[in-house]
Amino acid sequence: MATGESFYITTPIFYVNDVPHIGHAYTEVAADVLARWHRQRGDDTWFLTGTDEHGQKILRTATANDTTPQSWADKLVSEAWQPLLEAINISNDDFIRTTDERHENGVRIFLQRLWDAGFIYTGEYKGYYCVGCEEYKQPSDLVDGTGQYEGQLVCAIHSIPVELLEEKNYFFRMSDFADRLLALYEERPDFVQPESARNEVVSFVKRGLDDLSISRSSFDWGIKVPWDESHVVYVWFDALMNYATAVGFGVDDETFARRWPATHIVGKDILRFHAVIWPAMLMALGEEPPARVFGHGWLLVGGEKMSKSKLTGIAPEAITSTFGIDAFRYYFMRAISFGQDGSFSWEDLSARYQAELANGFGNLASRVIAMVTRYRQGAVPETGATTPADEHIYAVARDATQQADAAIERLAIHESLAAVWQLVDALNGYITTQEPWALAKDEANAERLDTVLATAVHGLGALAVLLAPVLPQAASTLWGAIGGEGEVSAQAIDHAFEWSGSGRVTPLAAPLFPRIEADTPATPTPATSKA
Ligand code: MSP
């Protein structure tokens, strides 16, 4: 992708029935890293996140808490979901709530167009529904309950009984779109990623698609169907449209044309909604399908998807309070191959923090800055004649930049970080072999010492630029300490090695990643509801 192009990235909008855990934070960080990277490439970037507030799940939670769904949603959004974004340093450009007037209005326009174009009809729905998933279930999605649910059919994901629905509903003619969807997957092999997710979606659609029930009439917490106010829009149908309503669908054609289509980052559990239903809805209106749908893996605890309903959710603050926000962001992006499941463990987090952030990167920065301060009174020297060792650093920096950028293009965030780390490792090796402290002992080596220090500082500048999307705080501190000009987040990432600065370093007041003495918890700390 050439720089300057539109890059619209989204997270799923989160249910406000409960507070966030690190699984939600994981989705946010991944999308944030991609957004920050693209901004630094000069792309016309827009990053949307938000909350999903309608449906039976929220209604029931509110009722159980003796309040209305609107005040419940307001409370959770202001006390839990918006604070999450600050707690993990998310740089979203917009935050949409499905109770926003702009969204409700956009949904009505979308729906009316579908109705006018003949893609919606009235029918009878009879079947099972899981309120946990907010999804109509096929018998093959269900298992026999055990314990208190003995004798009942339960949802295989939530392990709670499903409900038998028998309602007059409006239906979307999704079955009309199976062939067009298959053609889309065929023409654009990277439309659904990763490959395993694509294969699953293709075989699902090949089995044929049913029409989709898109309204409910037994409760009223939702957006009213424009031509029949006794029905509210099915929560998923409403929620998917947020990606369009947030960028002006139906009301501001210029903004919509500028932003759409989007790259959707979603958990693999909600892939079909995004890779099957949502593109079909768009096709029905003659709109472009999304640019890409990427299904990431789950954070697992004890081999199972971390979830609040199973009491395995860990609050992000349980990690950030000890390790800091940057380390939180780094750990999940580095330790888990994006697209695969990953098991969270305090031991692994602690080990990576120490080896990679504190010793590998932080210590490198402190040492180089301290040596320029001690041997050259803080003035970054000019480079003299270079040796193959210096050339190697320049070459690694160039390669790392290119590889990291190409990996981000493939949405392979972990590979991008691994590429950048080649430069961390190369610089550490360089300092060890060049021994600036030994060169400093003899004035005859002054020019050589100048070159080594200049090369090392230059490498640090490239690292600050390349790591800013993942470690915004540490990169900014480092950038200031080495005299970088302007904000590090404004530096062109695909030219990370061509940065310039004042030529002076300032000692770091504290290590970028201080040693952590406290014992880390041995067992996961459940996220507790603040509501
Ligand atoms: N409201 C819907 C999405 C609508 S998008 C139009 C929803 N919300 S959710 O709050 O239940 O989940 C939001 C996201 O969090 C999903 O992508 C889901 O995969 C992700 N995660 C929830 N638990 C997770 C883990 N344990 N690990 C990784 N991601 C997890 O679904």
Side-chain angles (χ1 to χ4, degrees):
M1 188 199 280
T3 56
E5 289 186 7
S6 170
F7 181 71
Y8 175 29
I9 179 130
T10 70
T11 69
I13 48 172
F14 298 91
Y15 287 129
V16 291
N17 62 311
D18 215 332
V19 297
H21 59 59
I22 61 175
H24 306 119
Y26 176 63
T27 311
E28 285 286 355
V29 171
D32 187 58
V33 167
L34 296 168
R36 286 175 185 265
W37 191 284
H38 280 269
R39 280 192 205 108
Q40 276 188 247
R41 295 186 82 217
D43 290 331
D44 183 20
T45 304
W46 195 252
F47 172 18
L48 174 72
T49 188
T51 43
D52 191 352
E53 306 183 9
H54 292 129
Q56 252 172 315
K57 180 150 69 174
I58 313 296
L59 176 61
R60 286 186 187 174
T61 307
T63 308
N65 284 275
D66 288 329
T67 186
T68 62
Q70 185 66 62
S71 33
W72 176 263
D74 289 347
K75 184 177 165 66
L76 268 278
V77 168
S78 66
E79 292 178 8
W81 289 93
Q82 280 176 333
L84 167 75
L85 305 180
E86 244 170 76
I88 51 174
N89 207 349
I90 300 301
S91 67
N92 55 306
D93 296 293
D94 192 6
F95 187 96
I96 191 160
R97 299 180 54 178
T98 52
T99 52
D100 285 348
E101 180 53 37
R102 58 172 173 159
H103 175 72
E104 299 198 348
N105 190 32
V107 168
R108 283 190 287 266
I109 297 172
F110 203 117
L111 222 63
Q112 187 69 49
R113 288 190 191 169
L114 286 176
W115 175 254
D116 293 345
F119 287 107
I120 293 178
Y121 64 90
T122 324
E124 283 290 324
Y125 183 81
K126 187 167 183 214
Y128 295 106
Y129 192 84
C130 170
V131 175
C133 297
E134 291 283 16
E135 190 179 5
Y136 302 94
K137 294 287 172 183
Q138 297 301 321
S140 57
D141 299 327
L142 308 176
V143 294
D144 291 326
T146 53
Q148 60 172 319
Y149 301 130
E150 185 86 47
Q152 299 181 60
L153 281 172
V154 302
C155 162
I157 297 168
H158 286 89
S159 310
I160 53 168
V162 286
E163 298 171 22
L164 188 61
L165 291 189
E166 209 168 344
E167 283 182 6
K168 176 201 149 199
N169 283 169
Y170 289 101
F171 283 77
F172 169 54
R173 295 189 192 280
M174 196 160 72
S175 56
D176 285 7
F177 294 91
D179 290 343
R180 264 177 277 177
L181 286 166
L182 289 170
L184 170 71
Y185 309 143
E186 184 71 29
E187 277 157 29
R188 290 177 29 197
D190 62 353
F191 174 70
V192 186
Q193 295 183 51
E195 186 67 23
S196 53
R198 178 179 184 269
N199 293 341
E200 194 220 290
V201 165
V202 170
S203 48
F204 174 75
V205 176
K206 276 192 175 154
R207 290 198 291 273
L209 292 177
D210 292 330
D211 289 343
L212 179 71
S213 164
I214 59 152
S215 73
R216 300 292 308 274
S217 56
S218 54
F219 62 93
D220 67 355
W221 179 236
I223 301 174
K224 289 192 167 39
V225 169
W227 60 87
D228 180 353
E229 300 223 326
S230 66
H231 283 244
V232 291
V233 181
Y234 166 46
V235 60
W236 263 103
F237 216 61
D238 155 0
L240 287 165
M241 292 184 222
N242 91 87
Y243 304 125
T245 63
V247 290
F249 172 81
V251 290
D252 178 355
D253 294 346
E254 202 179 316
T255 302
F256 187 67
R258 173 174 173 189
R259 301 293 176 205
W260 190 256
T263 292
H264 297 310
I265 304 295
V266 302
K268 63 180 182 180
D269 48 327
I270 56 172
L271 189 72
R272 279 185 205 167
F273 292 96
H274 289 81
V276 181
I277 301 178
W278 177 226
M281 290 162 69
L282 289 158
M283 283 171 176
L285 291 194
E287 300 290 354
E288 252 187 273
R292 291 178 290 193
V293 179
F294 188 94
H296 67 66
W298 289 336
L299 298 193
L300 307 175
V301 170
E304 274 197 60
K305 179 182 176 221
M306 176 182 301
S307 96
K308 278 305 300 292
S309 57
K310 295 196 173 167
L311 298 179
T312 52
I314 299 171
E317 293 77 14
I319 296 175
T320 55
S321 60
T322 304
F323 292 91
I325 296 171
D326 278 355
F328 180 97
R329 297 168 57 95
Y330 173 82
Y331 175 70
F332 290 106
M333 293 303 104
R334 179 77 201 260
I336 300 171
S337 297
F338 197 49
Q340 310 285 311
D341 291 346
S343 291
F344 168 74
S345 97
W346 290 101
E347 292 73 18
D348 188 36
L349 166 62
S350 199
R352 280 189 183 265
Y353 178 90
Q354 205 50 44
E356 294 163 19
L357 292 177
N359 295 339
F361 175 51
N363 199 25
L364 168 73
S366 301
R367 286 169 84 200
V368 171
I369 293 169
M371 287 189 285
V372 177
T373 307
R374 187 170 334 129
Y375 304 138
R376 294 293 180 259
Q377 292 72 51
V380 182
E382 293 289 320
T383 308
T386 56
T387 66
D390 316 322
E391 299 300 339
H392 178 66
I393 293 297
Y394 284 84
V396 170
R398 265 192 307 276
D399 292 351
T401 303
Q402 276 165 11
Q403 287 171 22
D405 196 37
I408 290 291
E409 198 50 40
R410 297 192 305 275
L411 305 174
I413 302 173
H414 57 292
E415 284 178 27
S416 167
L417 264 175
V420 175
W421 232 255
Q422 294 170 31
L423 182 55
V424 173
D425 293 340
L427 282 167
N428 275 314
Y430 179 74
I431 301 295
T432 306
T433 56
Q434 301 306 306
E435 301 186 307
W437 51 89
L439 296 170
K441 286 188 183 137
D442 186 347
E443 196 48 32
N445 296 324
E447 186 190 325
R448 182 68 203 135
L449 178 60
D450 280 352
T451 303
V452 171
L453 293 177
T455 305
V457 172
H458 222 71
L460 285 186
L463 281 179
V465 175
L466 291 167
L467 289 172
V470 181
L471 305 172
Q473 283 173 349
S476 169
T477 306
L478 173 59
W479 186 249
I482 58 174
E485 267 166 14
E487 294 289 325
V488 70
S489 56
Q491 306 306 310
I493 209 154
D494 42 345
H495 297 276
F497 212 58
E498 293 163 16
W499 65 278
S500 61
S502 65
R504 291 207 62 83
V505 302
T506 318
L508 289 165
L512 292 177
F513 296 96
R515 178 171 291 282
I516 288 169
E517 304 295 350
D519 281 348
T520 52
T523 48
T525 313
T528 47
S529 176
K530 288 188 205 131

